[in-house]
Amino acid sequence: MDFDPETTLSLAGQDLDDTFNSVVPPLYQSAIFQFEDVGETKGYDYTRSGNPTRTALEDTLADLDGGTGAVACATGMAAVSTVTSLFDADAHLICAHDCYGGTERLFSHLAERGTLAVSYEDLSDRNALADAVRPETEALWVETPSNPLLRIVDLEALSDFADTHDLLLIVDNTFLSPLLQRPLDYGADLVVYSTTKYLNGHSDVVGGAIIARTEALADRLDFTANAHGTVAAPFDSWLVLRGAKTLPVRLRQHETNARAIAHFLNDHPAVGRVCYPGLSGHPGHEIARTQQNGYGGMVSFFVDPEQVDVRAFLGSTEVFALAESLGGVESLIEHPATMSHASMAPDQRDEAGITDNLVRLSVGIESTDDLRRDLDRSLTAAGPETSSTERQHTSIPPVEA
């Protein structure tokens, strides 16, 4: 029987326990499983190669995204690393120029070692995209919405381009989750997640996942993840599965709050451009409205540096915690240039538009009024009248998360 995503998540893992019929999926915290006989098992032998709890999570994620199979990984970057292991040694990859800093850091590391060549392009520029293709190009790496500028690209158009040039289309869908966007429906071959974010939603575990459109790709991912040992642990898988059960209700409140905050910031005199695809003035709004089922809980914006000291602002919020990551129930504020994208070269950040006055919000599920008041008070407190002495405690050293 086919269920809506809300029901799929509510029932996820419920059929694992044949012994006691527990409603909550059991945690199989076992590294090994006993053989029935030589060469015979009940489907599991060693947890790196397979574990019932992890399988429950993988089956649920594959079902949500409309894929044929999935691999749950130890971290989001383990998922990215597993995908890169599918490429040939001399492969070339075309990546969104404003991708997540950790993705760029890994790709640059592999490029420096000579195991992967990468071109960073504005994926909405079809001419630049066509010029970037080489004989050894194997894939397009896409983020839509992108991190941190929430740029939107047309997945169907990119799928047509990838098919024309015999490329894999890989989409990092972390910002939206499969409930708000299903890239496989628009021709993507692989979908990548940091399950740390919305899928888990409680900031208490790190994880990643890869969803495959075809059985052949799913088989390659299974082999690669097992060979490299990048798979998720049973307890981590159980936590993500538990968190995902409340994803539908969490996402509704995330988006309700994010819409309100985006409109508030859009009208604020100390704020310049607001990046939120749910705003009608966002350049990708129409595409997002077509290929997404919602606009999510991420909002980025540029403060006016003549009116607001960005570091004072970041250090003065009370509800928004100054922290890395995103997608949890709590609201977070971060400075991409010195936090999530600190590892990017300054000229690459500038080219992507990640300037020092850019702020990224992960809008949580708190009271909308409290969130709005917190930002309003903090923007005012960080204004020109704030003394340099009062700002000393807000210094933010660069980190590479």
Side-chain angles (χ1 to χ4, degrees):
M1 182 174 178
D2 291 331
F3 296 114
D4 288 337
E6 292 88 348
T7 307
T8 295
L9 285 169
S10 177
L11 299 177
Q14 219 174 77
D15 59 350
L16 273 182
D17 181 15
D18 291 333
T19 304
F20 300 108
N21 297 329
S22 60
V23 173
V24 175
L27 167 60
Y28 290 90
Q29 190 65 33
S30 179
I32 56 174
F33 298 86
Q34 186 171 334
F35 279 65
E36 297 278 273
D37 200 346
V38 177
E40 293 183 20
T41 71
K42 287 189 174 181
Y44 300 96
D45 49 33
Y46 190 69
T47 275
R48 173 170 48 78
S49 303
N51 177 280
T53 307
R54 190 168 73 239
T55 296
L57 173 61
E58 292 168 340
D59 288 348
T60 299
L61 295 179
D63 186 22
L64 289 174
D65 254 305
T68 63
V71 170
C73 296
T75 67
M77 288 311 303
V80 176
S81 180
T82 300
V83 173
T84 63
S85 296
L86 300 177
F87 304 140
D88 294 332
D90 61 348
H92 172 247
L93 177 72
I94 301 173
C95 180
H97 69 317
D98 58 332
C99 66
Y100 167 54
T103 300
E104 184 276 335
R105 179 171 60 225
L106 174 62
F107 289 172
S108 294
H109 170 67
L110 296 175
E112 289 168 3
R113 296 183 58 200
T115 57
L116 182 71
V118 186
S119 297
Y120 296 95
E121 303 291 342
D122 179 351
L123 299 184
S124 63
D125 185 340
R126 293 297 292 270
N127 291 330
L129 196 54
D131 290 343
V133 175
R134 309 174 187 173
E136 62 273 20
T137 304
E138 293 191 14
L140 298 180
W141 190 282
V142 182
E143 290 180 12
T144 181
S146 66
N147 182 2
L149 291 166
L150 290 104
R151 290 192 174 107
I152 303 295
V153 291
D154 188 328
L155 287 174
E156 201 163 24
L158 285 180
S159 175
D160 290 342
F161 181 89
D163 288 345
T164 299
H165 295 275
D166 195 24
L167 308 177
L168 285 177
L169 178 59
I170 305 162
V171 180
D172 185 333
N173 199 37
T174 296
F175 267 27
L176 291 180
S177 88
L179 295 193
L180 297 186
Q181 181 171 260
R182 300 213 318 176
L184 298 182
D185 291 348
Y186 295 92
D189 297 291
L190 296 172
V191 182
V192 176
Y193 292 101
S194 170
T195 57
T196 310
K197 314 305 194 291
Y198 287 106
L199 284 163
N200 174 59
H202 293 80
S203 303
D204 56 6
V205 67
V206 292
I210 315 158
I211 321 299
R213 181 169 60 86
T214 67
E215 289 187 13
L217 276 173
D219 289 345
R220 289 175 63 192
L221 285 173
D222 281 339
F223 175 86
T224 302
N226 183 38
H228 286 264
T230 53
V231 295
F235 184 53
D236 293 351
S237 300
W238 186 86
L239 283 173
V240 175
L241 190 61
R242 183 184 67 166
K245 286 176 176 287
T246 62
L247 179 61
V249 291
R250 286 189 285 108
L251 278 180
R252 284 194 283 272
Q253 187 62 24
H254 282 301
E255 181 160 341
T256 295
N257 283 345
R259 281 175 177 266
I261 293 303
H263 283 284
F264 161 74
L265 291 171
N266 206 40
D267 294 333
H268 199 287
V271 172
R273 179 163 61 95
V274 177
C275 307
Y276 184 67
L279 294 173
S280 59
H282 187 285
H285 175 72
E286 288 303 316
I287 297 174
R289 190 172 61 84
T290 300
Q291 67 188 21
Q292 298 174 195
N293 296 319
Y295 301 106
M298 300 300 299
V299 179
S300 293
F301 62 100
F302 296 85
V303 298
D304 182 345
E306 294 185 359
Q307 298 189 61
V308 175
D309 181 289
V310 66
R311 291 176 180 240
F313 168 56
L314 290 163
S316 62
T317 55
E318 295 179 2
V319 182
F320 284 87
L322 180 61
E324 295 274 2
S325 198
L326 58 101
V329 294
E330 62 285 313
S331 289
L332 305 178
I333 187 169
E334 74 118 9
H335 188 230
T338 59
M339 295 171 72
S340 59
H341 291 68
S343 60
M344 270 190 175
D347 58 341
Q348 190 172 351
R349 284 200 305 267
D350 289 343
E351 184 179 351
I354 304 170
T355 57
D356 287 342
N357 62 326
L358 174 66
V359 175
R360 191 191 76 184
L361 303 177
S362 174
V363 183
I365 65 171
E366 304 91 343
S367 158
T368 307
D369 289 339
D370 285 340
L371 294 173
R372 201 160 27 208
R373 280 194 293 265
D374 190 36
L375 292 175
D376 193 28
R377 181 197 59 78
S378 299
L379 285 166
T380 301
E385 70 278 5
T386 307
S387 70
S388 59
T389 301
E390 291 172 309
R391 291 175 182 163
Q392 286 178 2
H393 73 285
T394 64
S395 177
I396 306 169
V399 296
E400 295 190 4

